Amino acid sequence: MTPRTEQHRPQMSVEEFEELERHAPETVRLEFIKGKVQVKAVTDGNHDHIVAWLQRLCMQHRPELWLYGDRGLKVESYRRGRVRPDGVLAPFGFPKGHGDWSEAEGVLMAVEVTSYDSDTHQRDRVEKPCAYAAAGIPVYLLIDRDDGTVTVFSDPEDGRYRLQLNKPFGDLVALPEPVGIALDTAPLEDLAR
């Protein structure tokens, strides 16, 4: 009996992914992380409200910046990944002339709000911190509705964040420089579900 060998599947190229993503229906959001196509759940009203809440706070404290929703970013080493964070904090006008996918240079913070799907742990808590750190994004803010916490990843070095601060909803959370905003997360307590 001969041992079974796995068939080798060629990995999708970034160009092939971008073509697939251009033709995907509006009811799905596709991302390309570590050579794999991933489907992100369509957001719910509380998810959207959290992003709007954060956008308003950023605008109040840092009017020269904007929190762009669903902005396509090139991430990972050699820009092999493509993600659409729930929010990208960057100088106002950042995506002008970029097309569908922006380089991460100039991005101060990436934001994700967890969705209630089976892939959220792997995608938002494991793969995204690595991808954003590899792209050199100074701060990654994870608003985790599953466990009612806000996690701030910062100080990227060698493809990982060296610092990680985790606080429960309701606490004051300081977003480090270059963001430099303090978030009163009490409003998140009512939006977890």
Side-chain angles (χ1 to χ4, degrees):
M1 183 169 175
T2 59
R4 226 172 106 185
T5 59
E6 279 188 29
Q7 270 189 318
H8 177 67
R9 292 178 127 182
Q11 266 194 330
M12 178 180 282
S13 71
V14 169
E15 294 77 17
E16 290 168 327
F17 167 77
E18 288 179 356
E19 182 67 19
L20 175 66
E21 199 268 343
R22 266 192 293 281
H23 297 290
E26 290 181 13
T27 56
V28 298
R29 294 169 37 193
L30 301 179
E31 296 183 315
F32 191 56
I33 303 172
K34 294 188 183 269
K36 296 183 305 192
V37 175
Q38 299 182 6
V39 178
K40 250 181 123 166
V42 176
T43 60
D44 60 39
N46 284 358
H47 180 285
D48 295 344
H49 188 77
I50 290 169
V51 173
W53 165 81
L54 186 59
Q55 186 176 51
R56 184 171 53 172
L57 287 174
C58 290
M59 204 169 66
Q60 289 171 345
H61 294 284
R62 299 288 306 271
E64 76 281 13
L65 303 176
W66 191 255
L67 186 70
Y68 294 94
D70 290 322
R71 175 78 224 144
L73 283 183
K74 299 175 184 179
V75 295
E76 296 182 316
S77 301
Y78 307 108
R79 310 302 185 252
R80 290 187 316 249
R82 299 289 185 270
V83 296
R84 289 198 181 274
D86 293 321
V88 172
L89 187 67
F92 185 77
F94 163 75
K96 187 176 179 182
H98 289 191
D100 292 336
W101 304 98
S102 295
E103 296 287 341
E105 186 176 339
V107 172
L108 305 180
M109 178 173 71
V111 178
E112 295 291 352
V113 178
T114 58
S115 298
Y116 299 114
D117 63 31
S118 61
D119 293 342
T120 200
H121 173 74
Q122 185 65 27
R123 185 180 58 247
D124 294 339
R125 298 180 192 109
V126 178
E127 293 172 351
K128 294 279 183 85
C130 294
Y132 295 146
I137 297 173
V139 178
Y140 169 41
L141 176 64
L142 175 62
I143 299 174
D144 196 326
R145 298 187 297 166
D146 289 327
D147 64 4
T149 63
V150 174
T151 304
V152 180
F153 298 85
S154 61
D155 198 15
E157 185 178 288
D158 297 327
R160 68 178 190 84
Y161 287 107
R162 294 179 345 138
L163 301 175
Q164 181 177 335
L165 172 71
N166 188 276
K167 296 266 193 158
F169 288 176
D171 279 11
L172 188 65
V173 175
L175 300 177
E177 293 298 333
V179 178
I181 297 173
L183 300 177
D184 175 4
T185 65
L188 297 176
E189 293 175 306
D190 294 331
L191 298 170
R193 284 271 173 193

